[in-house]
Amino acid sequence: MASVEEGTARKPSPHGFSSFKCFPGMYPFLLISAALSACGLISASPADLHRRAVTQLSAAELARFAPFTQFARAAYCGTDILSDWTCGEACEANSDFQVSLVGGDGDAVQIYYVGYSPSLEAIIVAHEGTDPTQLESDLTDVDIPLATLNSTLFPGVSSSVEVHTGFQNEHALTADIILAEVKSLMSSVGTNNIVAVGHSLGGALAEIDTVFFRVNIPSANISAMTYGTPRVGNPAWAALVDSSDVNFKRIDNMQDLIPIVPGRSLGYEHPAGEIHILSPGDAVSCPGDDDATDADCQIESVPTIFQGNILDHLGPYEGIYIGTIYCT
Ligand SMILES: *[C@@H]1O[C@H](CO)[C@@H](O)[C@H](O)[C@H]1NC(C)=O
Ligand SMILES: *[C@@H]1O[C@H](CO)[C@@H](O)[C@H](O)[C@H]1NC(C)=O
């Protein structure tokens, strides 16, 4: 049995996204919008009325994601070419990168790499994703167990925090070796900046890295840029990520359905930090955890997986596609 709905009480509209504007519940928001615009707080153009609380990203802000998007893309390349940093466009886009650890096999263990980017002045930790159709079927299965984190790997984290069992098991396979490499690079290069990146399952692993690095390297300045990330844990997990003093951004592309699974009705919640690409060049930053009120954010755009498009999972993330076949 599958959970197809994202998981709220709101019934999916037969007309999808566009009918939301005519939803009677919108009227109070329109009044608030009108009041705010009368005060000069927001633009009054009709097209903007449903952008109640989201913030439009400028072209310059969007462009700043590109190096990290290319790092996430490179994680799908083979370990040999990653070791030589000869993975084509994705590697050339970060040509000064100094790779120091490469591992995994793309099968039992997702491929990962660690290294230092002089131009970004940051240690990059990247995780490979997985076949999106397989991931979709795994994550819409109603039997998706949440479990507390391993207290050796995550010392001091409350037992109310629960994370998808498959994701945390995958993370645990490489946690110790990656942590040792990051600590070693921090001291050899002399930086506190760590950026975890990943797409799909790799995004979930990068999200887990934020808390993993926070509890194990308290002095680090931690960021994560994730792409097409499914939900990873319960509301206590989302709250922990939010309160961990990490710069966390999860970028969702158009009608991708992976970010709406597993459903909230199954006990899952995203942390804050959503950036939703509406179309190339047009993206908004969504407020709060798992924004369910703004029509431009992922939940309202894709109320059920039937309104989603798995191809959008692969991109384009501002011109960049991510997946096994884009490693050239
Ligand atoms: C927790 O992680 C540690 C360190 O990787 C490992 O040795 C231990 O077996 C793990 N415990 C469980 C219950 O998985
Ligand atoms: C933290 O790291 C991010 C990403 O590398 C960087 O943009 C930011 O300037 C860093 N903050 C500090 C205080 O060094």
Side-chain angles (χ1 to χ4, degrees), residues 68 120-122 193-195 221-223 225 247:
F68 304 104
L120 297 168
E121 293 179 43
N193 302 334
I194 308 171
V195 185
N221 166 31
I222 300 162
S223 308
M225 312 291 159
N247 171 29

Side-chain angles (χ1 to χ4, degrees), residues 9-95:
R10 195 172 85 81
K11 282 212 173 77
S13 147
H15 310 297
F17 168 78
S18 56
S19 70
F20 182 75
K21 289 173 208 158
C22 306
F23 191 66
M26 275 303 282
Y27 291 124
F29 302 145
L30 292 174
L31 292 176
I32 292 166
S33 297
L36 288 174
S37 67
C39 302
L41 291 175
I42 62 167
S43 143
S45 104
D48 286 347
L49 281 179
H50 70 295
R51 293 194 172 179
R52 236 168 8 96
V54 301
T55 314
Q56 182 82 34
L57 269 71
S58 68
E61 285 169 322
L62 274 176
R64 274 198 282 277
F65 287 109
F68 304 104
T69 315
Q70 295 285 13
F71 277 125
R73 173 187 176 188
Y76 280 92
C77 303
T79 51
D80 289 352
I81 58 175
L82 285 175
S83 301
D84 300 338
W85 204 245
T86 53
C87 64
E89 272 179 25
C91 287
E92 284 155 22
N94 290 295
S95 59

Side-chain angles (χ1 to χ4, degrees), residues 155-224:
V157 170
S158 160
S159 60
S160 65
V161 170
E162 295 186 330
V163 167
H164 182 278
T165 323
F167 296 163
Q168 57 168 301
N169 289 346
E170 185 69 42
H171 183 267
L173 292 175
T174 59
D176 291 325
I177 189 169
I178 288 178
L179 181 63
E181 183 63 24
V182 167
K183 284 180 170 170
S184 152
L185 274 180
M186 282 177 73
S187 95
S188 65
V189 177
T191 182
N192 280 331
N193 302 334
I194 308 171
V195 185
V197 299
H199 166 254
S200 194
L201 166 62
L205 299 174
E207 182 175 319
I208 296 173
D209 274 345
T210 61
V211 170
F212 178 62
F213 293 141
R214 174 51 68 228
V215 296
N216 289 292
I217 320 177
S219 65
N221 166 31
I222 300 162
S223 308

Side-chain angles (χ1 to χ4, degrees), residues 27 96 99 130 175 223 316:
Y27 291 124
D96 65 345
V99 63
T130 190
S223 308

Side-chain angles (χ1 to χ4, degrees), residues 150 152-153 176:
N150 177 329
T152 311
L153 292 174
D176 291 325

